Coordinates of all heavy atoms in Angstrom, one line a residue:
M21 N -7.7 -28.3 -4.0 CA -9.1 -28.3 -3.7 C -9.9 -29.2 -4.7 O -10.8 -29.9 -4.3 CB -9.7 -26.9 -3.7 CG -9.2 -26.0 -2.6 SD -9.7 -26.6 -0.9 CE -8.2 -27.4 -0.3
E22 N -9.4 -29.3 -5.9 CA -10.1 -30.2 -6.9 C -9.9 -31.7 -6.5 O -10.8 -32.5 -6.6 CB -9.5 -30.0 -8.3 CG -10.0 -28.7 -8.9 CD -9.3 -28.3 -10.2 OE1 -8.2 -28.9 -10.5 OE2 -9.7 -27.4 -10.9
R23 N -8.7 -32.0 -6.0 CA -8.4 -33.4 -5.5 C -9.3 -33.7 -4.3 O -9.8 -34.8 -4.2 CB -6.9 -33.6 -5.2 CG -6.1 -33.8 -6.4 CD -4.7 -34.3 -5.9 NE -4.1 -33.4 -5.0 CZ -3.0 -32.7 -5.2 NH1 -2.4 -32.8 -6.4 NH2 -2.5 -31.9 -4.3
L24 N -9.4 -32.7 -3.4 CA -10.2 -32.9 -2.2 C -11.7 -33.2 -2.7 O -12.3 -34.1 -2.2 CB -10.2 -31.7 -1.3 CG -11.1 -31.7 -0.1 CD1 -10.8 -32.9 0.8 CD2 -11.0 -30.4 0.6
S25 N -12.2 -32.3 -3.5 CA -13.5 -32.5 -4.0 C -13.8 -33.8 -4.7 O -14.8 -34.5 -4.4 CB -13.9 -31.4 -5.0 OG -15.2 -31.5 -5.5
A26 N -12.8 -34.3 -5.5 CA -13.0 -35.6 -6.1 C -13.0 -36.7 -5.1 O -13.6 -37.8 -5.4 CB -11.8 -35.8 -7.1
S27 N -12.4 -36.5 -4.0 CA -12.3 -37.6 -3.0 C -13.6 -37.7 -2.1 O -13.8 -38.7 -1.4 CB -11.1 -37.4 -2.1 OG -11.3 -36.3 -1.2
L28 N -14.5 -36.7 -2.2 CA -15.7 -36.7 -1.4 C -16.9 -37.4 -2.1 O -17.1 -37.2 -3.3 CB -16.1 -35.3 -1.1 CG -15.0 -34.4 -0.4 CD1 -15.5 -33.0 -0.1 CD2 -14.5 -35.1 0.9
N29 N -17.7 -38.1 -1.3 CA -18.9 -38.7 -1.8 C -20.0 -37.7 -1.7 O -20.3 -37.2 -0.7 CB -19.1 -40.0 -1.0 CG -20.3 -40.8 -1.5 OD1 -21.2 -40.3 -2.2 ND2 -20.2 -42.1 -1.2
A30 N -20.8 -37.6 -2.8 CA -21.9 -36.6 -2.8 C -23.0 -36.9 -1.9 O -23.8 -36.0 -1.5 CB -22.4 -36.5 -4.3
E31 N -23.1 -38.1 -1.4 CA -24.2 -38.5 -0.5 C -23.8 -38.3 1.0 O -24.7 -38.4 1.9 CB -24.6 -40.0 -0.7 CG -25.3 -40.3 -2.0 CD -24.3 -40.5 -3.1 OE1 -23.3 -41.1 -2.9 OE2 -24.6 -40.0 -4.2
D32 N -22.6 -38.0 1.3 CA -22.1 -37.8 2.7 C -22.0 -36.4 3.0 O -21.9 -35.5 2.2 CB -20.7 -38.5 2.9 CG -20.8 -40.0 2.7 OD1 -21.9 -40.6 3.0 OD2 -19.8 -40.6 2.3
D33 N -22.0 -36.1 4.3 CA -21.8 -34.8 4.9 C -20.4 -34.6 5.4 O -19.9 -35.6 6.1 CB -22.8 -34.5 6.0 CG -24.2 -34.5 5.5 OD1 -24.5 -34.0 4.4 OD2 -25.1 -34.9 6.3
Y34 N -19.8 -33.4 5.2 CA -18.4 -33.2 5.6 C -18.2 -31.9 6.4 O -18.9 -30.9 6.1 CB -17.5 -33.2 4.4 CG -17.5 -34.5 3.6 CD1 -18.3 -34.7 2.5 CD2 -16.6 -35.6 4.0 CE1 -18.3 -35.9 1.8 CE2 -16.6 -36.7 3.3 CZ -17.5 -36.9 2.2 OH -17.5 -38.1 1.5
L35 N -17.3 -31.9 7.3 CA -16.8 -30.7 8.0 C -15.3 -30.6 7.6 O -14.5 -31.5 7.9 CB -16.9 -30.8 9.5 CG -18.3 -30.7 10.0 CD1 -18.3 -30.9 11.6 CD2 -18.9 -29.3 9.7
L36 N -14.9 -29.5 7.0 CA -13.5 -29.3 6.6 C -12.9 -28.5 7.8 O -13.2 -27.3 7.9 CB -13.3 -28.6 5.3 CG -14.0 -29.2 4.1 CD1 -13.6 -28.4 2.9 CD2 -13.5 -30.7 3.9
D37 N -12.0 -29.1 8.6 CA -11.4 -28.4 9.7 C -10.1 -27.7 9.1 O -9.2 -28.3 8.7 CB -11.0 -29.4 10.7 CG -10.4 -28.8 12.0 OD1 -10.2 -27.5 12.0 OD2 -10.3 -29.5 13.0
M38 N -10.2 -26.4 9.1 CA -9.1 -25.6 8.5 C -8.2 -25.0 9.6 O -7.3 -24.2 9.3 CB -9.8 -24.4 7.8 CG -10.7 -24.8 6.6 SD -9.9 -25.6 5.3 CE -9.2 -24.2 4.5
R39 N -8.3 -25.5 10.8 CA -7.3 -25.1 11.9 C -5.9 -25.3 11.4 O -5.6 -26.4 10.9 CB -7.6 -25.9 13.2 CG -6.7 -25.4 14.3 CD -7.0 -26.1 15.6 NE -8.2 -25.5 16.2 CZ -9.3 -26.2 16.4 NH1 -9.4 -27.5 16.1 NH2 -10.4 -25.7 16.9
G40 N -5.1 -24.3 11.6 CA -3.7 -24.4 11.2 C -3.3 -24.0 9.8 O -2.2 -24.0 9.4
I41 N -4.3 -23.8 8.9 CA -4.0 -23.4 7.6 C -3.7 -21.9 7.6 O -4.6 -21.1 7.9 CB -5.2 -23.6 6.6 CG1 -5.6 -25.1 6.6 CG2 -4.9 -23.1 5.2 CD1 -4.5 -26.0 6.1
E42 N -2.5 -21.6 7.3 CA -2.0 -20.2 7.5 C -2.1 -19.4 6.2 O -2.3 -18.2 6.3 CB -0.5 -20.2 7.9 CG -0.3 -20.8 9.3 CD 1.1 -21.1 9.6 OE1 2.0 -20.8 8.8 OE2 1.4 -21.5 10.8
Q43 N -2.1 -20.0 5.1 CA -2.1 -19.3 3.8 C -3.0 -20.1 2.8 O -3.0 -21.3 2.8 CB -0.7 -19.2 3.1 CG 0.3 -18.3 3.9 CD -0.1 -16.9 3.8 OE1 -0.5 -16.4 2.8 NE2 0.1 -16.1 4.9
I44 N -3.7 -19.3 2.0 CA -4.5 -20.0 0.9 C -4.4 -19.0 -0.3 O -4.6 -17.8 -0.1 CB -5.9 -20.3 1.3 CG1 -6.6 -21.1 0.2 CG2 -6.7 -19.0 1.7 CD1 -8.0 -21.7 0.7
S45 N -4.2 -19.5 -1.5 CA -4.1 -18.7 -2.7 C -5.6 -18.3 -3.1 O -6.5 -19.0 -2.7 CB -3.4 -19.4 -3.8 OG -4.2 -20.5 -4.3
R46 N -5.7 -17.3 -3.9 CA -7.0 -16.9 -4.3 C -7.7 -18.0 -5.2 O -8.8 -18.3 -5.1 CB -7.0 -15.6 -5.1 CG -8.4 -15.1 -5.4 CD -8.4 -13.7 -6.0 NE -9.7 -13.3 -6.2 CZ -10.4 -12.4 -5.5 NH1 -9.8 -11.9 -4.4 NH2 -11.6 -12.0 -5.8
S47 N -6.8 -18.7 -6.0 CA -7.4 -19.8 -6.8 C -7.8 -21.0 -5.9 O -8.9 -21.6 -6.2 CB -6.4 -20.2 -7.8 OG -5.2 -20.7 -7.3
A48 N -7.1 -21.3 -4.9 CA -7.5 -22.4 -4.0 C -8.7 -22.0 -3.2 O -9.7 -22.8 -3.1 CB -6.4 -22.8 -3.0
A49 N -8.8 -20.7 -2.8 CA -10.0 -20.3 -2.1 C -11.2 -20.3 -3.0 O -12.3 -20.6 -2.6 CB -9.8 -18.8 -1.6
D50 N -11.0 -20.0 -4.3 CA -12.1 -20.0 -5.3 C -12.6 -21.4 -5.4 O -13.9 -21.7 -5.5 CB -11.6 -19.5 -6.6 CG -12.7 -19.3 -7.6 OD1 -13.7 -18.5 -7.4 OD2 -12.6 -20.0 -8.7
E51 N -11.8 -22.4 -5.5 CA -12.2 -23.8 -5.6 C -12.9 -24.3 -4.3 O -13.8 -25.1 -4.3 CB -11.0 -24.7 -5.9 CG -10.6 -24.7 -7.4 CD -11.8 -25.1 -8.3 OE1 -12.5 -26.0 -8.0 OE2 -11.9 -24.4 -9.3
L52 N -12.4 -23.8 -3.2 CA -13.0 -24.1 -1.9 C -14.4 -23.5 -1.8 O -15.3 -24.2 -1.4 CB -12.2 -23.5 -0.7 CG -12.6 -23.9 0.7 CD1 -12.7 -25.4 0.9 CD2 -11.7 -23.3 1.7
Y53 N -14.6 -22.3 -2.4 CA -15.9 -21.7 -2.5 C -16.8 -22.7 -3.3 O -18.0 -23.0 -3.0 CB -15.9 -20.3 -3.1 CG -17.2 -19.7 -3.3 CD1 -17.8 -18.9 -2.4 CD2 -18.0 -20.0 -4.5 CE1 -19.1 -18.4 -2.6 CE2 -19.2 -19.5 -4.7 CZ -19.8 -18.6 -3.7 OH -21.0 -18.1 -3.9
N54 N -16.3 -23.1 -4.5 CA -17.1 -24.0 -5.4 C -17.5 -25.3 -4.6 O -18.6 -25.8 -4.8 CB -16.3 -24.4 -6.6 CG -16.1 -23.2 -7.5 OD1 -16.8 -22.2 -7.5 ND2 -15.1 -23.3 -8.4
L55 N -16.5 -25.8 -3.8 CA -16.8 -27.0 -3.1 C -17.9 -26.8 -2.0 O -18.8 -27.7 -1.9 CB -15.5 -27.5 -2.4 CG -15.5 -28.8 -1.6 CD1 -16.0 -29.9 -2.4 CD2 -14.2 -29.0 -1.0
T56 N -17.9 -25.7 -1.4 CA -18.9 -25.5 -0.3 C -20.2 -25.0 -0.8 O -21.2 -25.0 -0.1 CB -18.4 -24.5 0.7 OG1 -18.1 -23.2 0.1 CG2 -17.2 -25.0 1.5
H57 N -20.3 -24.6 -2.1 CA -21.5 -24.1 -2.7 C -22.0 -25.0 -3.9 O -22.8 -24.6 -4.7 CB -21.4 -22.7 -3.2 CG -21.2 -21.7 -2.1 ND1 -20.0 -21.5 -1.4 CD2 -22.1 -20.9 -1.4 CE1 -20.2 -20.6 -0.4 NE2 -21.4 -20.3 -0.4
G58 N -21.4 -26.2 -3.9 CA -21.8 -27.1 -5.0 C -22.8 -28.1 -4.6 O -23.5 -27.9 -3.6
I59 N -22.8 -29.3 -5.2 CA -23.7 -30.3 -4.9 C -23.3 -31.2 -3.7 O -24.2 -31.9 -3.1 CB -24.0 -31.2 -6.1 CG1 -22.7 -31.9 -6.6 CG2 -24.7 -30.5 -7.2 CD1 -22.9 -32.9 -7.7
K60 N -22.1 -31.1 -3.3 CA -21.6 -31.8 -2.1 C -22.0 -31.1 -0.9 O -21.9 -29.8 -0.9 CB -20.2 -32.2 -2.3 CG -19.9 -33.0 -3.5 CD -18.4 -33.4 -3.6 CE -18.3 -34.3 -4.9 NZ -16.9 -34.5 -5.2
R61 N -22.2 -31.8 0.2 CA -22.6 -31.2 1.5 C -21.4 -31.0 2.3 O -20.9 -31.9 3.0 CB -23.7 -32.0 2.1 CG -24.9 -32.1 1.3 CD -26.0 -32.9 1.9 NE -25.6 -34.3 2.2 CZ -26.3 -35.4 1.8 NH1 -27.4 -35.2 1.2 NH2 -25.8 -36.6 2.1
V62 N -20.8 -29.8 2.2 CA -19.5 -29.5 2.9 C -19.7 -28.2 3.7 O -20.2 -27.2 3.2 CB -18.4 -29.4 1.8 CG1 -17.1 -29.0 2.5 CG2 -18.3 -30.6 1.0
E63 N -19.2 -28.2 4.9 CA -19.1 -27.0 5.7 C -17.6 -26.8 6.1 O -16.9 -27.8 6.2 CB -19.9 -27.1 7.0 CG -21.4 -27.2 6.7 CD -22.2 -27.3 8.0 OE1 -22.0 -26.5 8.9 OE2 -23.1 -28.2 8.0
I64 N -17.3 -25.6 6.5 CA -15.9 -25.3 6.9 C -15.9 -24.8 8.3 O -16.8 -24.1 8.7 CB -15.3 -24.1 6.0 CG1 -15.3 -24.5 4.6 CG2 -13.9 -23.8 6.5 CD1 -15.0 -23.3 3.6
I65 N -15.0 -25.3 9.1 CA -14.9 -24.9 10.5 C -13.4 -24.5 10.8 O -12.5 -24.8 10.1 CB -15.3 -26.0 11.5 CG1 -14.4 -27.3 11.3 CG2 -16.8 -26.3 11.3 CD1 -14.7 -28.4 12.3
N66 N -13.3 -23.7 11.9 CA -12.0 -23.3 12.4 C -11.1 -22.5 11.4 O -9.9 -22.8 11.2 CB -11.2 -24.5 12.9 CG -11.9 -25.2 14.1 OD1 -12.6 -24.5 14.9 ND2 -11.9 -26.5 14.1
L67 N -11.7 -21.5 10.7 CA -10.9 -20.7 9.8 C -9.9 -19.8 10.5 O -10.3 -19.1 11.5 CB -11.8 -19.8 9.0 CG -12.6 -20.5 7.9 CD1 -13.7 -19.6 7.3 CD2 -11.7 -21.1 6.8
E68 N -8.7 -19.8 10.0 CA -7.7 -18.8 10.5 C -8.0 -17.5 9.9 O -8.6 -17.4 8.8 CB -6.3 -19.3 10.1 CG -5.9 -20.6 10.7 CD -5.7 -20.7 12.2 OE1 -5.6 -19.6 12.8 OE2 -5.7 -21.8 12.8
P69 N -7.6 -16.3 10.5 CA -8.0 -15.0 10.0 C -7.6 -14.7 8.6 O -8.5 -14.2 7.8 CB -7.2 -14.1 11.0 CG -7.1 -14.8 12.2 CD -6.9 -16.3 11.8
F70 N -6.4 -15.1 8.1 CA -6.1 -14.8 6.7 C -7.0 -15.6 5.7 O -7.4 -15.1 4.7 CB -4.6 -15.1 6.5 CG -4.2 -14.9 5.0 CD1 -3.9 -13.7 4.6 CD2 -4.2 -16.0 4.1 CE1 -3.6 -13.5 3.2 CE2 -3.9 -15.8 2.8 CZ -3.6 -14.5 2.3

Side-chain angles (χ1 to χ4, degrees):
M21 293 294 103
E22 289 172 345
R23 278 193 307 247
L24 173 62
S25 180
S27 73
L28 304 180
N29 186 334
E31 290 83 41
D32 295 331
D33 295 325
Y34 298 93
L35 288 175
L36 303 183
D37 186 350
M38 302 292 283
R39 181 177 284 120
I41 302 297
E42 298 170 355
Q43 295 288 324
I44 188 168
S45 69
R46 187 170 183 105
S47 60
D50 187 60
E51 283 303 317
L52 185 57
Y53 177 93
N54 291 340
L55 181 58
T56 59
H57 292 81
I59 58 173
K60 296 180 181 170
R61 298 181 301 231
V62 178
E63 293 179 51
I64 303 171
I65 58 173
N66 300 322
L67 286 171
E68 301 291 345
F70 177 83

